[in-house]
Amino acid sequence: MESLSVALGSRSYPIHIGAGLVDQRALYAPHLRGSAAIVTNGIVAPLYLGRVRAALEASGARVAQVVVEDGEQAKGWPTLDRVIDALLAARLGRDALIVALGGGVIGDLAGFAAAVYQRGVAFIQVPTTLLAQVDSSVGGKTAINHARGKNLIGAFHQPAAVISDVATLDTLPDRELRAGLAEVIKHGVALDAALVVWLEQNIERLLARDRDALVYAVRRSCELKAAVVAEDEREAGMRALLNLGHTFGHAIEAATGFGPWLHGEAVAAGMVMAAELSRRAGMLAASDARRIEALIARAGLPTRAPKFAPERWRELIALDKKSAAGRVRFVLLEAVGRARLQAGIEDRLVDEAIAAAVQ
Amino acid sequence: MESLSVALGSRSYPIHIGAGLVDQRALYAPHLRGSAAIVTNGIVAPLYLGRVRAALEASGARVAQVVVEDGEQAKGWPTLDRVIDALLAARLGRDALIVALGGGVIGDLAGFAAAVYQRGVAFIQVPTTLLAQVDSSVGGKTAINHARGKNLIGAFHQPAAVISDVATLDTLPDRELRAGLAEVIKHGVALDAALVVWLEQNIERLLARDRDALVYAVRRSCELKAAVVAEDEREAGMRALLNLGHTFGHAIEAATGFGPWLHGEAVAAGMVMAAELSRRAGMLAASDARRIEALIARAGLPTRAPKFAPERWRELIALDKKSAAGRVRFVLLEAVGRARLQAGIEDRLVDEAIAAAVQ
């Protein structure tokens, strides 16, 4: 097991990475104060719920559980209300521990439930998808979706710990594994050219689920993200760089109704669009843009966005949370491994980049 | 105008108290970064919305407004969703300022909207009821209700400023004025015997809306509350003392369906019950319990709870957020001006205190 720390003063927390961690009682025990609730979904529950529950009960905790539907549609008010209702029905107090067992949807949903339940209780992330292990479980962003867009209602609420068990990736569908790789690629392309080189050399090992390669990819992603979060917890500045590909990616997800495109797939196509826009803005060499697209393609991820009306693109981009004082800022690239937040990009360039990037 | 500060490090904020503050542009200007949204209700809007809006626009802000229904029923998900939707429709970004213009319901609702809108934006409290000016606008507690109880979904989200204009109390119905006095009495009974003496001497002036008396009552309440919040922002300890009367009070509100009893009225009867329980637990002198009840009666507030089944009382009390590890803790009194958090109170004493306190 490898452990690293997200340095946030009194709210610092450990990330544990290894195989077979999901039922290691000692990883939960320091955070238990009598009662807990596991929030998971119908896919993950038969695989890991019993083991997590046993680990919590072995520490003497009273354990409730909530199993929600699988998929992005769970990230809305009706499901959140159901989770809150289950916590109340189990009479959990402010000292309860919420355990988010599942992928990014479960982490965001259960994390937001923990953020607002009785004005905030502790929670632990137990991510069971690659995407959640390398990205969404770290950094305290929690949210649900709104009809007008993704993650528009949420909170910054840091977990008490992250327990990333790469053995749980054995049961992950190939498509979701690739979607997770999109966020690993994003960390490299935005922040660390050396990780991009490593990915170019090891992408096949990751696709074959080589456990050592997975541990390395998860650890390196978490290190990069933890450093950014420690500097800028609430995304006042550099944390926004982690949103490379997300402005376009969120637009793809929203326009297609949240579901047909996995988040990582949308981010992958979004990164190609961000690279294309960077090139057209004169910031990025054409060879770098091609190199990014080639890596994304080798990971089996989409490099082209679906086609929809330019006005719809503009509307969805304007809604993006990175807009400041009504102006959209884009995360663009100066080089592989070096992202920059950039305002004042001409609409014409954005339209052209979109036109070049659709299927 | 008098100003005091809630000392919370980088999140410290001023409370301004005086007459005619509601449209003083200089009080809003330091917190504006381009856009704002005023959240208010159908009763307050015709009285003060135009003046607040003019003050914000005079600072060059783009201003949206959301007018919700009056009353406790606005403190639920459907109305919160409508507020969020209006903020999104107005394309407000993370730099927007939310202005909560109204009583406690508006402050809690708009404050919670600010806490979760795009993971948190700044907000200003402009309380227009005595209850909100002396209590709910200070301290950063925001929430909506759940079918199972009050304030069960919420966040600690401190305002950027509180602007308490006692001139707005001119339009407050008598019954709401009295409900606000319940929280002033609570601050004295829980924390400050001198304030109780002052109230015993000045209760008629307050009921007659003497402006100087009102400024004093608001300022002294805010000073007491600010000191407690600075010590214990997230209610890990002494902040719970401000909940004197609230465990019983919340039960009254929940059992009667949130509405027939004003919050302050329920807290008033709840304080009498807490004093009665303190007396039965051997903590409080009978003369002190009588003195508290007499002051509450002189303020024209209820001293008896409505009748409902003992099991319902127990269920609602168990749901109270102050329960730790499944055990209910009560805020009880050792003397006038000295409250204490107490666990381990026998159920029998609680039942007897309830039986003695119902109508």
Side-chain angles (χ1 to χ4, degrees):
Chain A
M1 184 178 86
E2 304 190 23
S3 296
L4 55 121
S5 175
V6 183
L8 287 166
S10 64
R11 288 170 298 110
S12 296
Y13 56 93
I15 304 172
H16 306 295
I17 305 159
L21 305 187
V22 88
D23 52 7
Q24 289 200 8
R25 171 185 158 183
L27 300 180
Y28 300 94
H31 311 288
L32 278 170
R33 288 191 292 158
S35 61
I38 305 166
V39 181
T40 190
N41 68 32
I43 304 293
V44 176
L47 299 169
Y48 306 111
L49 175 56
R51 287 169 61 192
V52 173
R53 194 181 173 105
L56 293 167
E57 286 174 341
S59 295
R62 184 166 67 86
V63 183
Q65 62 187 52
V66 196
V67 180
V68 306
E69 67 270 43
D70 178 46
E72 187 78 23
Q73 72 277 11
K75 257 181 76 172
W77 170 257
T79 306
L80 179 70
D81 186 42
R82 205 144 54 73
V83 171
I84 300 266
D85 197 64
L87 303 180
L88 290 169
R91 296 181 182 259
L92 296 183
R94 285 182 179 167
D95 55 353
L97 176 72
I98 309 288
V99 178
L101 173 65
V105 167
I106 288 293
D108 282 6
L109 172 75
F112 188 52
V116 301
Y117 183 66
Q118 300 201 4
R119 297 202 183 92
V121 298
F123 82 115
I124 286 185
Q125 293 272 17
V126 186
T128 61
T129 66
L130 182 59
L131 184 134
Q133 292 184 356
V134 300
D135 190 19
S136 60
S137 67
V138 175
K141 278 192 180 180
T142 71
I144 56 174
N145 299 328
H146 182 279
R148 290 180 188 264
K150 223 173 125 71
N151 296 331
L152 292 173
I153 302 173
F156 287 94
H157 188 56
Q158 299 293 342
V162 181
I163 301 172
S164 275
D165 185 345
V166 296
T168 63
L169 305 181
D170 291 348
T171 51
L172 195 68
D174 272 335
R175 188 178 164 199
E176 295 216 30
L177 185 79
R178 289 194 296 268
L181 288 178
E183 299 282 6
V184 182
I185 293 169
K186 180 200 74 178
H187 284 121
V189 169
L191 299 171
D192 183 17
L195 177 56
V196 174
V197 171
W198 184 88
L199 284 166
E200 288 170 335
Q201 292 164 348
N202 292 280
I203 192 81
E204 277 77 21
R205 281 177 71 204
L206 290 168
L207 289 167
R209 301 177 199 233
D210 176 294
R211 215 163 257 186
D212 291 341
L214 287 170
V215 168
Y216 180 86
V218 173
R219 179 167 64 78
R220 192 70 198 111
S221 286
C222 288
E223 281 170 355
L224 287 164
K225 183 155 184 183
V228 169
V229 168
E231 279 296 304
D232 176 26
E233 183 182 6
R234 296 182 74 92
E235 198 166 311
M238 76 175 291
R239 182 162 179 176
L241 302 184
L242 296 176
N243 289 330
L244 177 67
H246 280 61
T247 298
F248 293 117
H250 283 169
I252 293 171
E253 289 183 274
T256 54
F258 297 116
W261 283 63
L262 295 179
H263 176 66
E265 293 170 340
V267 168
M271 276 193 284
V272 175
M273 296 174 83
E276 176 68 17
L277 180 55
S278 305
R279 188 185 70 73
R280 285 172 187 265
M283 284 171 59
L284 184 71
S287 58
D288 279 346
R290 281 196 301 273
R291 186 176 162 205
I292 292 163
E293 183 171 341
L295 178 59
I296 290 168
R298 280 179 65 202
L301 286 160
T303 58
R304 290 290 176 272
K307 200 174 170 63
F308 46 90
E311 310 79 58
R312 183 81 174 118
W313 276 108
R314 265 184 241 115
E315 180 190 30
L316 291 166
I317 287 169
L319 255 184
D320 191 82
K321 292 182 300 301
K322 283 178 293 303
S323 70
R327 296 186 61 190
V328 172
R329 294 180 296 164
F330 286 96
V331 183
L332 296 183
L333 292 165
E334 298 175 324
V336 169
R338 207 159 73 238
R340 192 175 82 191
L341 200 58
Q342 182 72 49
I345 295 291
E346 285 176 52
D347 286 349
R348 181 183 56 80
L349 286 179
V350 177
D351 288 348
E352 286 175 10
I354 290 167
V358 296
Q359 286 167 336
Chain B
M1 184 177 86
E2 303 190 23
S3 295
L4 55 122
S5 176
V6 183
L8 287 166
S10 64
R11 289 171 299 108
S12 297
Y13 57 91
I15 304 171
H16 306 295
I17 305 159
L21 305 187
V22 86
D23 51 7
Q24 289 201 8
R25 170 185 158 183
L27 300 179
Y28 300 95
H31 311 287
L32 278 169
R33 287 191 293 157
S35 61
I38 305 165
V39 180
T40 189
N41 68 31
I43 304 293
V44 177
L47 299 169
Y48 305 113
L49 175 56
R51 286 169 61 192
V52 174
R53 191 178 176 110
L56 293 167
E57 286 175 340
S59 295
R62 184 167 67 86
V63 183
Q65 63 188 51
V66 196
V67 180
V68 307
E69 67 270 44
D70 178 44
E72 188 78 25
Q73 72 276 14
K75 257 182 76 172
W77 170 257
T79 306
L80 179 70
D81 186 43
R82 206 145 54 73
V83 171
I84 299 266
D85 197 65
L87 304 180
L88 290 169
R91 298 182 180 261
L92 296 184
R94 285 182 180 169
D95 55 354
L97 176 72
I98 310 287
V99 178
L101 174 65
V105 167
I106 288 293
D108 282 5
L109 172 74
F112 187 53
V116 300
Y117 183 66
Q118 302 200 4
R119 296 200 185 91
V121 298
F123 82 114
I124 287 184
Q125 293 272 19
V126 186
T128 60
T129 66
L130 183 58
L131 184 136
Q133 292 184 358
V134 301
D135 190 18
S136 60
S137 67
V138 174
K141 278 193 181 179
T142 72
I144 56 174
N145 299 329
H146 182 278
R148 290 180 188 264
K150 223 172 124 74
N151 296 330
L152 292 172
I153 303 173
F156 287 94
H157 187 57
Q158 299 293 341
V162 181
I163 301 172
S164 275
D165 185 344
V166 296
T168 63
L169 304 181
D170 291 348
T171 51
L172 195 67
D174 272 336
R175 187 179 164 198
E176 296 216 27
L177 184 79
R178 289 194 296 269
L181 288 178
E183 298 282 6
V184 181
I185 293 169
K186 179 200 75 179
H187 284 121
V189 169
L191 299 171
D192 184 17
L195 177 55
V196 175
V197 172
W198 184 88
L199 285 166
E200 289 170 335
Q201 293 165 347
N202 291 279
I203 192 79
E204 278 76 23
R205 281 176 72 204
L206 290 169
L207 289 166
R209 300 175 199 235
D210 176 294
R211 213 163 260 186
D212 290 340
L214 286 169
V215 168
Y216 180 85
V218 173
R219 178 167 65 75
R220 192 71 199 112
S221 286
C222 288
E223 281 169 356
L224 288 164
K225 181 155 186 184
V228 168
V229 168
E231 279 296 304
D232 176 26
E233 183 182 6
R234 296 181 73 91
E235 199 166 307
M238 76 175 288
R239 183 163 178 174
L241 302 184
L242 296 176
N243 289 330
L244 177 68
H246 280 62
T247 297
F248 294 116
H250 283 168
I252 293 171
E253 289 182 275
T256 54
F258 297 117
W261 283 64
L262 295 178
H263 175 67
E265 293 170 341
V267 167
M271 277 192 285
V272 174
M273 297 175 81
E276 175 68 17
L277 180 55
S278 305
R279 188 186 69 74
R280 286 173 185 266
M283 283 171 58
L284 185 71
S287 58
D288 279 346
R290 281 196 301 273
R291 185 176 163 205
I292 292 163
E293 183 171 340
L295 178 58
I296 290 168
R298 281 179 64 201
L301 286 161
T303 57
R304 290 291 175 273
K307 200 174 171 65
F308 46 91
E311 310 79 58
R312 184 81 175 118
W313 275 108
R314 267 185 239 114
E315 180 189 33
L316 291 166
I317 287 168
L319 256 183
D320 191 84
K321 294 183 299 300
K322 283 177 293 302
S323 71
R327 297 186 58 189
V328 172
R329 294 179 296 165
F330 286 95
V331 183
L332 296 184
L333 292 165
E334 298 175 322
V336 170
R338 208 159 72 236
R340 191 175 83 192
L341 201 58
Q342 182 71 48
I345 295 291
E346 286 175 53
D347 286 350
R348 181 184 54 82
L349 286 179
V350 177
D351 288 349
E352 287 174 8
I354 290 168
V358 295
Q359 286 168 334

